[in-house]
Amino acid sequence: MSDNILPQQKSPKLIVVTAFDRDEGGDLQPVFGPAEQQTEDRAIRTAKGLAGKHAGVIAWSREANPALGEYGEPTTLFLGGDVPDME
């Protein structure tokens, strides 16, 4: 048996913040981002800072391995105001 068992590697996370404003027709349009963040805490701080300046803002994360095309379910970290339905 091998004594060189590696601990399971943590999957990389995609962490994103996007802010929205309404256009002349009243539709929500992205005006900031999607901007990738280094940590969930930073994403939440960024989103909170944008919340008072825009119609809506969302910060979310999900497990992601773009090289393999593998993505987990998104988790909302912060939601403020109005944001469009995210797929």
Side-chain angles (χ1 to χ4, degrees):
M1 281 201 180
S2 173
D3 291 328
N4 297 332
I5 299 173
L6 296 174
Q8 187 173 14
Q9 267 192 323
K10 200 173 181 184
S11 296
K13 265 194 179 172
L14 177 63
I15 307 167
V16 177
V17 174
T18 307
F20 301 89
D21 282 335
R22 294 197 180 276
D23 63 17
E24 294 88 25
D27 295 322
L28 291 166
Q29 300 295 328
V31 293
F32 174 88
E36 192 168 345
Q37 305 293 305
Q38 294 299 312
T39 67
E40 290 182 346
D41 287 339
R42 182 175 176 148
I44 293 167
R45 284 194 311 272
T46 300
K48 286 181 176 180
L50 292 167
K53 302 172 188 168
H54 299 283
V57 63
I58 186 168
W60 57 272
S61 70
R62 69 179 175 181
E63 303 286 321
N65 190 339
L68 298 177
E70 295 176 352
Y71 297 93
E73 289 297 314
T75 300
T76 300
L77 304 172
F78 177 86
L79 178 64
D82 297 327
V83 298
D85 288 332
M86 309 299 274
E87 291 184 23

